[in-house]
Amino acid sequence: MTAPATSSPTVSEREARQVAEAAREQHWRKPSFAKELFLGRLRLDLVHPHPLPADDDVRRGEAFLARLRDFCETRVDSARIEREARIPDEVVTGLKELGALGMKIDTRYGGLGLTQVYYNRALALAGSASPALGALLSAHQSIGVPQPLKLFGTQEQKDAFLPRCARTDISAFLLTEPDVGSDPARLATTAVPDGDGYVLDGVKLWTTNGVVADLLVVMARVPRSEGHRGGITAFVVEAAAEGVTVEHRNAFMGLRGIENGVTRFHRVRVPAAHRIGEEGQGLKIALTTLNTGRLSLPAMCAGAGKWCLKIAREWSGVREQWGKPVALHEAVGSKISFIAATTFALEAVLELSSQMADEDRNDIRIEAALAKLYGSEMAWRMADELVQIRGGRGFETADSLAARGERAVPAEQMLRDLRINRIFEGSTEIMHLLIAREAVDAHLAVAGDLIDPAKSLPDKARAGGRAGVFYARWLPKLVAGPGQLPGSYAEFHPRGHADLSGHLRYVERHARKLARATFYAMTRWQGRMESKQGFLGRVVDIGAELFAMSAACVRAELLRTRGEHGRAAYQLADAFCRQSRVRVGELFDRLWTNTDDIDRTVVRGVLGGVYTWLEQGIVDPSDDGPWIAEPEPGPSGRENVHRPIH
């Protein structure tokens, strides 16, 4: 065996990009509504009529939701979880007995076998009782052991681990390291081949569920050697194995009940039979797992929106200012309208994406990523608006409110708890880049070699030929479309309802406009396009709004045809689309009129110390510790705070 690495490998920007590119799915085997949207095509046929779950799935799903609701109402004390910064063991045990650990695990392994739709509804329900509960269940099933084994595990691995995960064992996913976040090319944890197994060494940071986990999915780098292709590889590791130490339980501004820690591996033996997939497939497994796993966060964000709406409605109807309820003052009313319309849209995006995941007819990697991005950003805004609507009471803690005799409304806690969703499972900035890469995939597939400096002249010549054929067919289709015909999408304007057909025509026109803008940017910046992160972020944000508008319209029509609040749903969809169109207009303006250039100049000045004079006149209460604690290799010198719940 070689000695364990002492620090993260040094890699160039190009090498890091190559690792990320090799990990993504290279081909589109199924259609994608969102991918088509970024290419300027509104493929409404892919999402309308809205897909629906099978009757048996509905029956089983609704039965479980009823049991889960009763459990959350009678056995979950959210205030206690917040106060003690821990989910009581009896609550976790109750969730195990309920089968909540195995919601997505097939019944043959002792799970409930719920669909993605009902799994997400369950997460929204549990997350509304306590966001820490939602985080526990999501980290266990969406990215922990069950999902990668379902997709990539051997039959022997499924037989060995899935029954445990379904009923008794909590799992966690370990990728991040103290100096490695969204740049896995620098992964330092090693898995050195040794006989019929591997020996793991390294330290993992922010291991959600890691403090209480029984099973871990660990990403580690296998060195290349004879008989070993090497690369980042995924392993199932027993948390109680010798050499595994949970050195610290992290504390955060929100999600105080989350069991998140720092985990050290020192010469931990892992059988080769516990390797998931082949050597070097770890990042591909992680990204593929997240294609649907990311839907757990927007589920809890949609649930948060529902709670914000309930509190806003109840509070603003009884709180009076200047002779009438504050809800009837336009400044407050606009916030309530935003919360109501956006909650409808978030649920529409979630339900549509989840049902498409269940049907497996479409590739939803972009849809799931957009749902995560849009849900996390909009839920945070809704919680912020709720705090503003509540005024001083929104800033006051629930315990303080109760102590002086008022309803204990944890609005400030909701704001704190939701903040992490803009960072969890890919920060907003990383999601922008990830989605942008997928959005321009068709262009890079035909013209990527033209802008790649490493390609030879013959390669560029061949790429030029392919690009000429592709763009000769594609560009003319961006000139005109159904969005310019007044009668298009007429089924979305039934008698007595708001007119949603005009919004879909808007989506179609602006999808083409977005595709034209993206093409122009690629021809203008070519190889420098990847550095234009501000532009790419706005492109993605426009696509997210267009996707949300489409989902809202399709869901409103579904509810109308099923006789479920159709007229009200149309009204909410109309309000959301009108609000969204304002945002889309601003984003299009900012594509070309922005401060990106001057921002880069200021940033260089900040880093160069040009503006240090601006920092004078304050004191810094931070201590003088290192910005990043570089872990020393070797055995742990700290107490093991691992506490499995049995």
Side-chain angles (χ1 to χ4, degrees):
M1 293 186 298
T2 59
T6 58
S7 61
S8 301
T10 301
V11 296
S12 67
E13 180 179 0
R14 182 174 182 80
E15 289 171 331
R17 292 182 183 277
Q18 287 174 339
V19 169
E21 183 65 18
R24 61 176 291 273
E25 291 184 71
Q26 302 293 323
H27 304 290
W28 297 82
R29 300 178 181 87
K30 299 173 184 176
S32 165
F33 176 79
K35 176 175 179 282
E36 293 292 313
L37 206 59
F38 280 108
L39 285 171
R41 300 188 283 251
L42 176 57
R43 288 287 308 278
L44 204 59
D45 60 295
L46 295 178
V47 297
H48 175 67
H50 194 295
L52 293 171
D55 291 342
D56 187 54
D57 292 333
V58 172
R59 178 186 57 79
R60 288 187 297 110
E62 292 294 338
F64 176 72
L65 287 182
R67 297 195 300 273
L68 180 62
R69 173 176 289 277
D70 179 70
F71 180 88
C72 289
E73 290 177 341
T74 60
R75 298 180 60 181
V76 176
D77 185 344
S78 180
R80 178 186 173 188
I81 294 173
E82 176 71 3
R83 187 167 53 251
E84 298 179 358
R86 176 166 292 173
I87 302 171
D89 288 0
E90 59 268 25
V91 173
V92 178
T93 301
L95 289 171
K96 293 180 179 182
E97 294 169 349
L98 198 63
L101 293 189
M103 287 187 282
K104 287 191 70 179
I105 298 176
D106 195 283
T107 54
R108 80 182 80 170
Y109 303 111
L112 300 180
L114 299 186
T115 62
Q116 186 73 39
V117 167
Y118 277 96
Y119 170 65
N120 286 339
R121 290 180 183 178
L123 288 180
L125 178 59
S128 67
S130 168
L133 277 189
L136 171 78
L137 295 172
S138 170
H140 166 66
Q141 292 171 86
S142 296
I143 58 175
V145 171
Q147 188 68 8
L149 283 193
K150 175 183 176 181
L151 296 174
F152 298 97
T154 65
Q155 190 59 53
E156 291 75 15
Q157 290 171 339
K158 294 176 182 178
D159 291 338
F161 297 119
L162 290 184
R164 293 170 57 182
C165 291
R167 290 290 176 179
T168 60
D169 288 14
I170 296 171
S171 68
F173 173 78
L174 280 62
L175 171 62
T176 304
E177 299 178 358
D179 197 26
V180 178
S182 298
D183 183 10
R186 302 175 63 249
L187 202 72
T189 298
T190 58
V192 178
D194 182 54
D196 60 352
Y198 297 82
V199 176
L200 265 64
D201 283 277
V203 176
K204 295 293 185 179
L205 176 63
W206 296 325
T207 60
T208 299
N209 285 359
V211 178
V212 296
D214 304 284
L215 290 171
L216 313 171
V217 177
V218 181
M219 295 292 167
R221 182 185 303 280
V222 177
R224 184 185 297 273
S225 62
E226 184 177 353
H228 293 275
R229 61 177 290 186
I232 298 173
T233 306
F235 299 89
V236 177
V237 180
E238 298 279 358
E242 184 178 354
V244 179
T245 305
V246 180
E247 295 187 329
H248 179 68
R249 182 178 186 263
N250 301 317
F252 303 100
M253 67 180 285
L255 286 183
R256 290 179 176 169
I258 194 173
E259 298 287 356
N260 181 292
V262 178
T263 303
R264 176 181 292 270
F265 300 91
H266 176 63
R267 301 205 178 284
V268 178
R269 286 202 59 84
V270 180
H274 288 194
R275 187 189 68 218
I276 307 176
E278 300 299 323
E279 289 182 0
Q281 288 188 326
L283 286 185
K284 185 180 289 290
I285 289 171
L287 290 178
T288 304
T289 297
L290 283 171
N291 280 345
T292 54
R294 280 199 176 97
L295 290 174
S296 62
L297 285 185
M300 290 180 281
C301 288
K306 290 172 178 285
W307 183 82
C308 288
L309 178 60
K310 178 180 184 295
I311 299 301
R313 172 180 58 81
E314 293 176 351
W315 164 251
S316 59
V318 299
R319 172 61 167 166
E320 291 192 357
Q321 289 276 42
W322 298 302
K324 59 183 177 181
V326 293
L328 299 182
H329 291 283
E330 193 171 274
V332 175
S334 63
K335 299 180 187 300
I336 298 172
S337 175
F338 165 74
I339 293 173
T342 304
T343 296
F344 179 82
L346 289 192
E347 186 170 49
V349 166
L350 175 69
E351 291 278 315
L352 180 60
S353 300
S354 300
Q355 189 58 50
M356 287 196 293
D358 286 330
E359 287 194 338
D360 200 28
R361 288 189 297 111
N362 294 344
D363 187 323
I364 67 156
R365 72 182 88 160
I366 299 182
E367 285 84 349
L370 286 173
K372 188 275 177 188
L373 168 70
Y374 198 71
S376 61
E377 289 292 322
M378 300 307 273
W380 164 259
R381 286 183 57 183
M382 287 191 288
D384 187 55
E385 294 289 26
L386 176 64
V387 168
Q388 192 70 19
I389 291 170
R390 288 272 291 161
R393 291 172 174 85
F395 194 66
E396 191 172 359
T397 67
D399 279 350
S400 178
L401 288 165
R404 59 183 186 79
E406 291 194 358
R407 184 175 298 185
V409 178
E412 59 84 29
Q413 180 192 335
M414 178 62 73
L415 188 65
R416 289 187 286 104
D417 287 344
L418 284 172
R419 184 61 182 84
I420 189 58
N421 291 333
R422 298 173 64 199
I423 300 171
F424 259 168
E425 296 180 19
S427 68
T428 290
E429 293 73 25
I430 292 300
M431 295 306 296
H432 277 151
L433 299 181
L434 183 151
I435 297 168
R437 172 61 187 86
E438 300 295 352
V440 301
D441 184 61
H443 299 286
L444 294 179
V446 298
D449 288 355
L450 283 172
I451 59 177
D452 188 344
K455 294 298 181 180
S456 65
L457 287 177
D459 288 337
K460 291 181 181 293
R462 284 190 291 271
R466 291 195 305 269
V469 173
F470 174 80
Y471 290 118
R473 295 175 179 173
W474 178 69
L475 286 172
K477 296 178 182 179
L478 301 183
V479 176
Q484 293 166 291
L485 302 176
S488 296
Y489 314 112
E491 67 268 32
F492 287 87
H493 190 193
R495 183 183 299 274
H497 292 67
D499 182 7
L500 300 184
S501 65
H503 297 311
L504 288 173
R505 291 194 293 273
Y506 178 92
V507 171
E508 196 278 335
R509 292 194 307 273
H510 286 76
R512 287 187 283 111
K513 181 178 180 180
L514 182 61
R516 293 194 300 268
T518 304
F519 174 73
Y520 170 70
M522 292 188 69
T523 60
R524 175 179 175 180
W525 291 315
Q526 298 184 33
R528 293 181 294 127
M529 180 78 162
E530 63 186 19
S531 69
K532 302 296 182 179
Q533 295 179 4
F535 177 89
L536 292 172
R538 294 175 201 114
V539 165
V540 170
D541 286 340
I542 292 170
E545 294 284 0
L546 298 181
F547 176 44
M549 290 173 67
S550 304
C553 292
V554 169
R555 181 163 181 78
E557 175 61 8
L558 169 68
L559 295 179
R560 184 191 72 83
T561 58
R562 292 166 63 93
E564 300 175 4
H565 314 291
R567 185 170 284 103
Y570 257 69
Q571 191 173 61
L572 286 171
D574 181 43
F576 172 77
C577 288
R578 291 175 185 272
Q579 294 168 9
S580 180
R581 287 168 71 158
V582 173
R583 294 190 291 267
V584 169
E586 293 172 349
L587 286 165
F588 266 114
D589 288 343
R590 290 177 55 211
L591 282 181
W592 311 112
T593 305
N594 51 63
T595 62
D596 292 351
D597 291 340
I598 188 61
D599 291 344
R600 282 190 289 272
T601 300
V602 171
V603 167
R604 286 192 291 269
V606 169
L607 294 180
V610 175
Y611 312 121
T612 52
W613 52 268
L614 192 57
E615 302 166 10
Q616 295 174 6
I618 63 166
V619 293
D620 181 1
S622 311
D623 67 20
D624 57 356
W627 287 104
I628 299 171
E630 186 69 36
E632 293 292 331
S636 178
R638 299 190 179 190
E639 176 189 357
N640 189 356
V641 297
H642 180 231
R643 55 173 203 92
I645 302 172
H646 297 298

